Amino acid sequence: MSQSGFEALKEMISRNLDKGKKGETTFHGEPSENVSPILRAASELGLEQHTVLKPNGETYKITLKRKNSEEA
């Protein structure tokens, strides 16, 4: 993923968190090679990460949440 693409991913995550309930956003889909850039962006943004990879390794669900976000 290019640096500009990675920065765009981080911006998209931030926008999704602003719109999401309780400061959360979820990504899901396939293939699993999409997981690494999402987790790297979440780490750089200082987000909590909850990742589920299906046994076949092809599908994933990642929930990202701002640390210390207040409950609505």
Side-chain angles (χ1 to χ4, degrees):
M1 175 175 280
S2 69
Q3 186 61 32
S4 61
F6 182 71
E7 292 301 321
L9 174 63
K10 286 177 24 180
E11 288 176 23
M12 181 187 67
I13 290 171
S14 292
R15 281 194 310 272
N16 287 353
L17 287 169
D18 290 341
K19 291 190 277 185
K21 295 179 182 178
K22 299 181 185 176
E24 291 183 5
T25 188
T26 301
F27 291 86
H28 50 84
E30 54 186 70
S32 58
E33 64 255 15
N34 294 334
V35 171
S36 182
I38 294 169
L39 295 181
R40 185 174 141 224
S43 178
E44 288 191 14
L45 292 168
L47 303 173
E48 292 179 22
Q49 308 166 21
H50 303 279
T51 305
V52 177
L53 293 175
K54 299 290 183 183
N56 65 10
E58 291 300 316
T59 58
Y60 63 88
K61 177 180 177 184
I62 303 170
T63 301
L64 304 176
K65 183 176 182 179
R66 289 193 171 110
K67 292 180 181 177
N68 301 320
S69 65
E70 297 194 14
E71 297 296 317

